[in-house]
Amino acid sequence: MRMTHDEINVKHARTGFRDETGEWYQLDNAAIIMPAISNVRNTSLFRMAVTLDHPVRLDDLNTALERVAKRFPYYMVELRRGFFWYYFQPLKEPIKAVSDLGWPCMGYNMHKRGAPLLRVRVAGARIAFEFSHILADGAGGGCFLTATLIEYFKERGIVATPPSPTCDVSAPPDPEEYEDAYHRFYKPRIPIPGPLPRAYHLSSKLLPVGQCRAITGIVVADDLVALAKARKVSVTEFLTAVYLDSLIELRTVQVQAGARRLSPYVSLEVPVNLRRFYKTKSLRNFSLFVLPTIDTRLGTWTLDELAAYVHHYMGIENDERRIATQISRNAGGGRKLVVRLIPLFIKNFFAKILYVALGEGLISGILSNLGTIQMPEELAPHLERFDFLGAPSSTLKTFAALCTWKGKTHIAFGSQAQSRELERLFFKRLVALGLRVEVSSNM
Amino acid sequence: MVRCDQCGVELAEGTERCPLCGAVLGDKDAAGRAGAPGPVPVPADGAGENRQRRQVAAEVLSVSLAIAALTLVVLDLIMGAGIAWSLYPLVALGFIWWLICPTLMATRKPALGIAVSALAPFGFLVALDAINGSLAWSLTLGAPIAAAVELGVLGTILAAKASKIRGLNVLAYAFVAAAAICLVVEGAIDLYRDGILNLFWSSITASTLIPVAGFLFYAHLRLARNTTLKKLFHY
């Protein structure tokens, strides 16, 4: 008897295996391309940092990490090469907190033998968690961060209730937590999305290799919400419009200065957490994106028009049926036997080309909104600040990520571009709209 | 808090330059000459079902081969006086059936099915030889080579099964088996042709394969003990 689609999906979604050498894991569908495109500039690390109300006690943090490591064995892994695919091998040594004095998300080589795929960095009162996107997305990273903070504060005599079993170290790891949810929710016979045009990219010389600038603007969340509500859009939609507006101005300046062959399309990637649509406990990657795109040949756009456009675009695209077409393309492609049987070195060669042509080639920037951080209320008084920084990209050069905590929204631009013009135009627009913006930078 | 007059943003006390425009704070005219960036430069299913499926596969294969055989015989009869050239493809079709069907059909005793299938190459060689009227080479040349190949494969599988950890050591077993097969092949050819054993190319091949196998054993034991074939070759 033929397997049902559900049975086939469950088979493909399984990533954890056990053999005579112990546990090992397959990469999820979003992660399989990343080892090929990761290098000293594109490290694939995203960063979630929390600032405490006291200098971090390193011994307590390492004790907490030891306990959390047992709860998240599928994160305590290193990357290994197979003949057809990469796989995760459990680490021999437990991870320890390291200094956070270097550049954020940089100085990392995932291909190094024994290299963990997440880093916990400490400086003063700040604990920064840097996750490779090969391992997890923001939801998984947030869960690990919450569990670590709960255990850290337990060491300090403050007991907090875990918000969910996935953040509770006393609960055993559920196999669903490391399943490949893309394959789990794959629907056969769904068409794939149509081709997209190549997008405009920022033009700027890059910073020296290994450097990453982070410019953070802090705004009062209520003020930001008020600005968005005045336009009947969400905060993400409003900031997407501001970002697009800034990119369009940058492009216009370049055209006026005589630049030719610039793509007329300005396009922004806005990640979508698929857990909104599909019920899963997976803490691997499970997000896709929508891509609001402006064709600059059509004329000029005011900020309000852009906000309205983004709002309606998101209303159409941010829909389970539309997202399913992306899953169909990504997961469906990975299931083809002819793709699976191509040796890894050939896959890597084509992955680099395809990623530039069909991935980052189609977007001008990224705006990732983690939303309001949810923490156990016992910990809240001791957590002063959260910062979220996206994974660096030398193609996009500059990219934005934001999160909200205690009524303040932190909008962080990570960048490898020498030019700070995009950040300047973006925050200048917010100031012009009457928002108070407190800006800081690491360089 | 201090405020940047150029950008309008607020900055922490003690900040000397605006991180956005590079302006020296408190100096309204300084933005341009302070190295400010300015505008951007141009730039599974159940065992029962499985059995049934294998049975169907065996039936489909049998019927397909029978149709092909019948067609060959009819064509040969039409074109000539009797069955002549069609004997060779008929033997080949029989070989395919013998090789595949016992394994497919012996679902309850798979070892028996594999053993019967393993005899197929011998039967094939003997039948080919017999078509020419005598058993000139099949028993003295073909059978030892076929036996060596089958024993090599069997030895590799058994050694792999006996290994606690299957990784690069399985490749090493395969290399050792390949070296042994080469020696037997040349030995059989020498004895059939000259009646004297004079190993040349096979000894060179074996002396190349054996050190590689040794290195793979070493790599397995010392470097890649955590690597299994399933991990290495999962697809």
Side-chain angles (χ1 to χ4, degrees), chain A residues 274-319:
Chain A
L274 300 188
R275 293 166 187 85
R276 281 176 51 200
F277 304 119
Y278 305 102
K279 192 171 160 42
T280 176
K281 291 182 198 162
S282 179
L283 298 178
R284 292 276 188 222
N285 288 296
F286 196 40
S287 55
L288 282 167
F289 53 83
V290 292
L291 219 57
T293 305
I294 297 294
D295 186 344
T296 54
R297 294 171 300 188
L298 303 182
T300 54
W301 306 66
T302 65
L303 181 61
D304 288 352
E305 286 170 342
L306 283 172
Y309 166 78
V310 171
H311 174 70
H312 293 299
Y313 181 88
M314 300 274 244
I316 295 166
E317 292 295 317
N318 203 353
D319 176 87

Side-chain angles (χ1 to χ4, degrees), chain A residues 221-239 307 311 433 435:
Chain A
D222 286 345
D223 295 348
L224 189 59
V225 171
L227 278 179
K229 273 194 171 170
R231 290 160 181 81
K232 296 179 181 166
V233 299
S234 71
V235 167
T236 305
E237 289 161 357
F238 173 66
L239 292 177
H311 174 70
L433 292 167
L435 218 55

Side-chain angles (χ1 to χ4, degrees), chain A residues 1 3 17 19-21 24 26 80-87 89 92 113 203-204 215 250 253-254 257 259 337 340-341 419-421 423-424 427-428 431 436-441, chain B residues 1 3 6-12 15 18-22 37-45 49-50 53 163-167 223-228 230-235:
Chain A
M1 203 175 80
M3 290 172 88
F17 298 89
D19 59 24
E20 56 267 37
T21 61
W24 62 280
Q26 289 179 1
R80 292 278 183 92
R81 288 176 77 100
F83 188 76
F84 299 111
W85 299 104
Y86 287 95
Y87 65 91
Q89 173 76 33
K92 288 188 181 127
R113 192 78 161 194
S203 296
S204 167
I215 293 182
L250 275 177
V253 169
Q254 279 186 256
L337 192 63
R340 285 155 58 193
L341 291 179
S419 165
R420 305 165 184 226
E421 193 62 1
E423 293 93 317
R424 191 181 74 80
F427 288 123
K428 203 172 173 181
V431 171
R436 287 183 64 181
V437 186
E438 182 188 336
V439 171
S440 58
S441 170
Chain B
M1 284 288 164
R3 188 180 155 88
Q6 299 293 319
C7 305
V9 297
E10 294 175 357
L11 305 159
T15 308
C18 172
L20 296 178
C21 67
V40 175
V42 177
D45 49 16
E49 290 149 3
N50 188 31
R53 226 166 39 197
S163 304
K164 256 188 173 176
I165 298 171
R166 287 185 284 275
L223 303 174
R225 206 169 168 78
N226 282 330
T227 304
T228 59
K230 192 170 179 194
K231 277 188 215 172
L232 272 178
F233 293 103
H234 80 272
Y235 63 93

Side-chain angles (χ1 to χ4, degrees), chain B residues 37-156:
Chain B
V40 175
V42 177
D45 49 16
E49 290 149 3
N50 188 31
R51 231 184 342 260
Q52 201 178 2
R53 226 166 39 197
R54 293 172 71 159
Q55 204 72 41
V56 170
E59 284 170 15
V60 168
L61 183 69
S62 302
V63 172
S64 306
L65 291 176
I67 292 168
L70 199 64
T71 311
L72 285 166
V73 170
V74 170
L75 279 173
D76 203 5
L77 287 171
I78 291 169
M79 291 166 72
I83 296 173
W85 55 266
S86 63
L87 279 173
Y88 294 98
L90 283 174
V91 167
L93 292 174
F95 167 63
I96 292 169
W97 186 90
W98 192 354
L99 191 68
I100 298 171
C101 281
T103 309
L104 280 176
M105 291 189 292
T107 48
R108 290 185 197 279
K109 292 179 179 174
L112 180 67
I114 292 168
V116 174
S117 290
L119 294 173
F122 298 97
F124 176 59
L125 294 170
V126 170
L128 275 182
D129 203 8
I131 290 172
N132 293 331
S134 66
L135 297 178
W137 52 267
S138 59
L139 296 177
T140 49
L141 182 64
I145 292 173
V149 172
E150 290 195 349
L151 286 173
V153 173
L154 183 67
T156 304

Side-chain angles (χ1 to χ4, degrees), chain B residues 18-29:
Chain B
C18 172
L20 296 178
C21 67
V24 178
L25 297 173
D27 182 356
K28 285 184 179 177
D29 303 322

